[in-house]
Amino acid sequence: MRLLIQKAQTSHILTRDEIVQILSCQEPQLLFEAADRVRKEFVGDGVYLRGLIEFSSYCKNDCMYCGLRRSNTHAQRYRLSARQIIETAQEAVKLGYKTIVLQSGEDLFFDTDKMCQIIREIKKLDVALTLSIGEKTREEYAAYKEAGADRYLLRIETTDKTLYEKLDPAMSFENRMRCLHDLKELGYEVGSGSLVGLPGQTVESLADDLLFFKKLPVDMAGIGPFIPHPHTPLGNEKTDGHFELSLKMMALMRLLLPDINIPATTAMETLHPQGRLLALQCGANVIMPNVTYTEYRKQYELYPGKVCTGDNAAHCRGCMQAKIESIGRFVSPSKGFHGDFLRGN
Ligand code: 5AD
Ligand code: FES
């Protein structure tokens, strides 16, 4: 194990079998320490904060794992107006955020024109802008880019095509791949990622996920444990081991893609009270605090037990900074593009 981790730390290359071996290891301490060293060398001690606006909980899709799936009739749906979205972004900028992330279900109400207007308004605030609004046509992606969007988040969720299509039979794995390649070609910083612990998911397929992120290559990748939502078909699944396996995935990602941005995801905090801090110490360098108005946070229920749903943007900003500083790190004043630290920004 020591030799394998040594190899990954210096060459940033592992075979599928080697990744499987490390993911299956019962003593991940050496892996975590190596990831922390590589993180410090390639992205430094600064943590990038991204202000997350969850602007619509409507979704036309029906992913079996997701609380926003259209068949979930228990879900309360909301949709912010363009004005509310822009005001939320302005408040986030006042709190010091240098990146705004706009996330929603796949909500057809926000057509290309509406999205582009919102993007243009937010870009006037001198921030980096990330979109996380799902699968669109190449033309739509091009229009958002033209309007000023810098980055796009679209998790592949799993690279196991059979499993992917089982999780939403109406969705196509090829189309998701097409989206990621289009986004790359259009010049976005591309973020992808996986869910860890999906029923039927194997460690081999998790190894394939990591190799896929390296091949694309991604500029960012978020790993989140799967947390069953009671009002979905997967509501009775377990979460045993998902937290530890997610940490290992994150740490391996840092070794394989040493300079990318890796968020300590909110889902990690749902499964462990110190989840995000532990992730920051196992390779992660980004946190995406919620800046959505408190009254809507509970309704954006991807999974149960989401943290901070009773808090407001200012509270979370202060809370996160204190947590980050408690482990000897600091909030970076940079916009935090891929490679900024190595370029001295
Ligand atoms: N548990 C954890 N993460 C989830 N997501 C959706 N449903 C769940 C769940 N039940 C994640 C997906 C999606 C992101 C926005 O939220 O990976 O890409
Ligand atoms: Fe929201 Fe700590 S980040 S309360």
Side-chain angles (χ1 to χ4, degrees), residues 276 308 311 315-316 319-320 323:
R276 285 180 291 183
C308 303
D311 302 308
H315 177 86
C316 287
C319 166
M320 260 349 293
K323 284 191 182 193

Side-chain angles (χ1 to χ4, degrees), residues 192-257:
S192 193
S194 324
L195 279 170
V196 171
L198 290 165
Q201 191 178 38
T202 61
V203 275
E204 285 77 14
S205 89
L206 289 173
D208 290 337
D209 294 0
L210 291 172
L211 292 172
F212 166 69
F213 301 142
K214 189 162 171 70
K215 179 150 173 269
L216 198 61
V218 295
D219 300 287
M220 320 170 262
I223 299 294
F226 161 60
I227 302 168
H229 189 295
H231 296 131
T232 65
L234 304 180
N236 292 323
E237 297 293 330
K238 298 271 168 312
T239 55
D240 303 340
H242 296 181
F243 180 79
E244 293 71 20
L245 194 52
S246 299
L247 273 187
K248 287 191 220 170
M249 280 288 283
M250 246 176 239
L252 270 164
M253 188 136 67
R254 175 59 69 204
L255 298 186
L256 292 172
L257 288 148

Side-chain angles (χ1 to χ4, degrees), residues 87-221:
E87 276 171 15
T88 308
Q90 287 166 339
E91 280 175 31
V93 170
K94 279 199 202 120
L95 291 172
Y97 285 100
K98 301 287 194 294
T99 292
I100 299 295
V101 182
L102 294 183
Q103 188 177 86
S104 68
E106 290 199 14
D107 180 358
L108 296 176
F109 173 83
F110 290 94
D111 59 21
T112 313
D113 279 353
K114 287 199 185 80
M115 274 320 297
C116 287
Q117 277 172 27
I118 295 167
I119 293 167
R120 277 192 291 269
E121 285 302 312
I122 293 181
K123 282 302 286 184
K124 289 182 189 161
L125 305 172
D126 184 28
V127 280
L129 180 59
T130 307
L131 299 178
S132 177
I133 58 178
E135 297 181 15
K136 307 283 171 186
T137 63
R138 187 183 175 101
E139 291 67 37
E140 286 171 291
Y141 288 147
Y144 307 151
K145 188 84 190 36
E146 174 75 27
D150 302 284
R151 311 183 186 131
Y152 206 101
L153 304 180
L154 186 73
R155 288 188 180 171
I156 190 69
E157 314 293 359
T158 171
T159 53
D160 177 339
K161 176 175 154 55
T162 313
L163 177 60
Y164 181 89
E165 293 185 345
K166 218 160 99 183
L167 291 167
D168 186 345
M171 287 177 81
S172 132
F173 184 73
E174 268 83 35
N175 192 50
R176 205 155 184 94
M177 285 289 186
R178 189 272 305 157
C179 290
L180 287 167
H181 287 113
D182 278 349
L183 290 163
K184 269 304 280 188
E185 284 167 23
L186 290 164
Y188 281 93
E189 279 207 344
V190 174
S192 193
S194 324
L195 279 170
V196 171
L198 290 165
Q201 191 178 38
T202 61
V203 275
E204 285 77 14
S205 89
L206 289 173
D208 290 337
D209 294 0
L210 291 172
L211 292 172
F212 166 69
F213 301 142
K214 189 162 171 70
K215 179 150 173 269
L216 198 61
V218 295
D219 300 287
M220 320 170 262

